Amino acid sequence: MNVRQMYENRLARGEINNMVSKTTMDKHTNNINALQSLIPDIDTKSFDEVNEVIKNMKTRTGIASLSTQHSYVSSYIVLCRCNKPDNYFEDDNFKEAVQYIHKDGVFSKALREYKKGSSERYNASAPDKKKVEDIIDQYCCDEKESLDNKLLLTIYRHHPFRLEVADIVYLNPRKYNALKKQGQLTGSYLVKSKGMRGKMFFSFSDYKTDKTYGTREIDVKDKKLKQLFYQKIIPMEVGTRVFGKMSRNNLSKRITYLFEKREMKKITPTIMTRLILGEQFGGDTLAESVIKKAQELALERGHSLGTQQNTYV
């Protein structure tokens, strides 16, 4: 049984109230595939053996972080459900994995402490925002640079988006409004007519917290970003992916690579989000204008003000 079928069965049995997002299913599927590649006979291994592999997984920054470990253990639990959809709860590996990441357990306590210290670790090695912006300006002024690279860098210069940017599909207002009226907005979109007038906006319906925040519509206000998008969509057919077959993982790698080419390491979309939010709200001011801006950017990111301040600022 695959991940989607497992969740559909759980929904039909009333074990969950809502279907999880495609993003969540894709994450579990990718994690499971990675685990099965590392452990071909994973179904014969104990949870302790699987977890030992997870703890020692190699990543671009070294050994898997606690957050990455939590993600893979969660996906292993999903794998147990897929393998034994009717009696997974009797499986010792399932029970041990669930207990391991229980919110009151030792691992979850360590994970909370790890996340609590993320701001301190980030501030100790935070990149220079002006240098990041200078590099983006250099790319945008380079006539030989691809339009897609200019677009991606400019998007993350101004918007604290997650990786759903990779999935953006171009729609005109008529098509978008028709899908919206029919309740069929299920992805990520850039909405604009082919004419110069009329607003341009992003729309996101498939992202990490979509069950909480629903469809997010964010206006494109930056003039440079508008110009770049307009160049991109003029020859495009409605319903076409703006960035072709690019995956979310490849988007993150491309952003990092573009900065590495200019001798600036470890600049990811998440780091660029921290730069945007940290500059805006790093102080203690509670001015009404600051609060309003904080609310706008929280909407763009698709998270609460508390998460924004505690995790990214």
Side-chain angles (χ1 to χ4, degrees):
M1 176 177 291
N2 63 35
V3 173
R4 172 175 287 279
Q5 290 171 331
M6 183 276 292
Y7 276 115
E8 288 175 346
N9 284 356
R10 293 192 69 197
L11 184 65
R13 291 197 297 259
E15 294 180 5
I16 53 176
N17 294 323
N18 297 293
M19 191 63 173
V20 300
S21 69
K22 181 178 181 296
T23 302
T24 296
M25 287 188 282
D26 288 345
K27 181 199 74 172
H28 286 310
T29 299
N30 292 335
N31 285 353
I32 289 170
N33 288 339
L35 285 175
Q36 290 175 327
S37 177
L38 289 169
I39 318 170
D41 55 346
I42 190 171
D43 294 340
T44 67
K45 299 293 186 182
S46 68
F47 168 66
D48 286 341
E49 291 174 311
V50 172
N51 196 30
E52 196 61 30
V53 173
I54 291 173
K55 290 178 182 178
N56 292 286
M57 288 177 67
K58 303 294 183 182
T59 67
R60 285 184 292 121
T61 57
I63 299 298
S65 68
L66 293 180
S67 294
T68 299
Q69 291 177 41
H70 187 278
S71 175
Y72 275 90
V73 173
S74 297
S75 296
Y76 176 73
I77 290 171
V78 169
L79 175 61
C80 292
R81 289 180 180 274
C82 290
N83 287 342
K84 299 181 179 180
D86 297 321
N87 62 341
Y88 60 86
F89 46 84
E90 296 176 351
D91 182 66
D92 288 339
N93 289 336
F94 172 84
K95 289 186 285 187
E96 290 173 17
V98 169
Q99 187 62 34
Y100 182 77
I101 61 171
H102 190 275
K103 63 182 180 66
D104 297 324
V106 175
F107 178 85
S108 290
K109 181 180 179 180
L111 179 58
R112 286 193 293 271
E113 290 298 319
Y114 172 82
K115 289 183 175 180
K116 185 177 179 181
S118 64
S119 294
E120 287 81 359
R121 291 192 298 274
Y122 169 74
N123 290 333
S125 59
D128 182 84
K129 187 172 188 290
K130 185 178 185 305
K131 186 176 179 181
V132 169
E133 292 182 334
D134 286 345
I135 289 174
I136 294 174
D137 287 338
Q138 291 169 20
Y139 274 112
C140 288
C141 291
D142 187 347
E143 294 183 358
K144 296 181 180 179
E145 192 57 55
S146 73
L147 179 56
D148 281 3
N149 286 344
K150 293 178 182 180
L151 264 173
L152 289 171
L153 290 170
T154 307
I155 288 171
Y156 284 104
R157 178 177 188 168
H158 296 287
H159 296 280
F161 294 148
R162 295 187 178 87
L163 300 179
E164 56 264 31
V165 168
D167 306 328
I168 289 174
V169 172
Y170 166 60
L171 294 181
N172 59 27
R174 176 181 293 182
K175 180 64 175 178
Y176 178 79
N177 290 329
L179 291 175
K180 189 174 184 178
K181 186 176 181 180
Q182 296 164 9
Q184 294 181 359
L185 293 178
T186 58
S188 303
Y189 310 99
L190 175 78
V191 185
K192 178 70 177 76
S193 62
K194 289 293 176 88
M196 290 295 291
R197 294 185 179 181
K199 75 174 184 176
M200 176 187 294
F201 64 94
F202 296 102
S203 174
F204 299 110
S205 296
D206 177 23
Y207 58 98
K208 184 177 180 180
T209 52
D210 58 42
K211 293 295 184 293
T212 302
Y213 298 100
T215 296
R216 293 148 46 217
E217 294 182 353
I218 300 101
D219 289 345
V220 179
K221 298 178 181 179
D222 179 72
K223 290 183 179 179
K224 181 63 177 178
L225 183 54
K226 282 185 174 181
Q227 291 171 356
L228 291 171
F229 262 130
Y230 197 69
Q231 291 178 48
K232 181 71 179 180
I233 67 174
I234 283 296
M236 290 182 65
E237 295 288 335
V238 171
T240 305
R241 285 174 59 102
V242 173
F243 297 110
K245 296 180 179 180
M246 179 184 291
S247 68
R248 298 186 181 195
N249 185 45
N250 287 339
L251 183 155
S252 184
K253 289 180 178 179
R254 181 181 293 197
I255 294 289
T256 301
Y257 169 72
L258 289 172
F259 282 99
E260 285 179 345
K261 279 180 65 177
R262 302 296 172 103
E263 300 182 351
M264 201 169 189
K265 296 184 177 181
K266 298 181 180 179
I267 304 298
T268 66
T270 300
I271 293 298
M272 297 181 77
T273 287
R274 286 180 179 272
L275 292 175
I276 293 173
L277 299 180
E279 180 186 58
Q280 292 282 343
F281 317 117
D284 296 325
T285 178
L286 290 176
E288 184 177 342
S289 60
V290 173
I291 294 173
K292 182 178 180 181
K293 185 64 177 178
Q295 292 170 334
E296 290 176 359
L297 290 177
L299 172 64
E300 290 196 17
R301 181 72 176 174
H303 60 198
S304 68
L305 284 174
T307 296
Q308 180 164 285
Q309 194 68 20
N310 293 333
T311 305
Y312 296 97
V313 178

